[in-house]
Amino acid sequence: MPVSVPMIAAGAYRRPRQLAIAAACTAVAVTLAGCSSDGDAKDKSSPTVAPSKTTDPKATAEQKAQKAVTAAYRGYWDAQIKAYAKADPKGSGLDKYAFDRAYSKTFAELATMKGAGNVLKGQPRISPEEPEVNLDKSPQEATLKDCVDVSGWKLQKEKSGKEVPLPKKRLTRFVTKVSARTVGDKWMIINVDQTDLKC
């Protein structure tokens, strides 16, 4: 906002130009950093510097782990779909994502299906929530919940392709609780529990 300097009354003693300039500079010293000899004011204030943003290393590590756990879980399901489609884990990549109980449970179910001459065809749908990770433990651990929809996954006879009838009142959408942990430096799924909760 311009600063108004009072005019000298008519007929009063007129000061020299340099003194008038000095007086003007003194009057506006609060808002101006300096004054040039020709009366032009220059703002020499320092530019405003935005505060630097600091990144929390722990939060960054947790976000990275959450992405890795979710990727492992989705990989686990992709491998299961391939394995159940032929009732055989070979070539499915299941061992890259499943470990411990998650692997042994799937392996046992595949053996049972193979013995009965059954396969699963179609595509289940998953909707995993964001994992909760614990990076303070060794090995590191994680848990997540998912709503699994198997209505599009059909049990069929491997040779004839005929659909095997299943109980009509069975849950086709249910909550699943998943556990994962690091194996070396890699996240793997170690347990998957299907609950009786509808979602």
Side-chain angles (χ1 to χ4, degrees):
M1 183 175 181
V3 178
S4 176
V5 179
M7 296 291 293
I8 299 177
Y13 175 75
R14 296 182 179 274
R15 297 175 181 274
R17 177 177 175 81
Q18 282 76 8
L19 291 178
I21 293 172
C25 287
T26 302
V28 298
V30 174
T31 56
L32 298 179
C35 191
S36 62
S37 59
D38 59 0
D40 293 334
K42 295 183 179 180
D43 186 359
K44 296 182 181 179
S45 60
S46 301
T48 303
V49 179
S52 60
K53 294 182 179 180
T54 57
T55 303
D56 183 353
K58 185 175 181 180
T60 301
E62 287 180 348
Q63 290 173 355
K64 185 178 178 180
Q66 287 172 333
K67 289 181 179 179
V69 171
T70 301
Y73 180 64
R74 290 189 178 279
Y76 162 79
W77 267 103
D78 289 342
Q80 278 203 124
I81 292 168
K82 293 177 183 178
Y84 282 118
K86 57 183 180 179
D88 190 345
K90 292 179 181 178
S92 66
L94 183 65
D95 58 338
K96 295 179 181 179
Y97 304 101
F99 187 73
D100 202 356
R101 295 185 300 277
Y103 183 83
S104 59
K105 182 181 178 181
T106 301
F107 194 87
E109 289 177 350
L110 289 169
T112 300
M113 286 177 61
K114 191 73 172 179
N118 296 334
V119 292
L120 276 168
K121 297 289 186 178
Q123 191 79 21
R125 290 182 292 178
I126 61 173
S127 306
E129 297 178 359
E130 185 175 78
E132 293 184 3
V133 298
N134 186 340
L135 305 184
D136 295 327
K137 286 193 173 183
S138 182
Q140 296 172 341
E141 298 178 351
T143 58
L144 67 83
K145 289 183 180 180
D146 188 14
C147 178
V148 179
D149 184 348
V150 296
S151 59
W153 217 11
K154 307 297 182 182
L155 187 65
Q156 301 177 357
K157 286 298 180 181
E158 184 176 16
K159 292 183 178 180
S160 66
K162 185 179 179 180
E163 188 172 338
V164 177
L166 296 170
K168 293 182 179 180
K169 292 185 178 181
R170 69 190 179 96
L171 279 178
T172 56
R173 285 174 58 91
F174 46 84
V175 175
T176 298
K177 295 181 179 180
V178 183
S179 300
R181 74 171 176 87
T182 51
V183 179
D185 59 353
K186 183 179 180 180
W187 282 99
M188 298 189 75
I189 306 304
I190 61 170
N191 193 43
V192 179
D193 283 330
Q194 175 184 335
T195 73
D196 293 328
L197 299 175
K198 185 178 180 180
C199 59

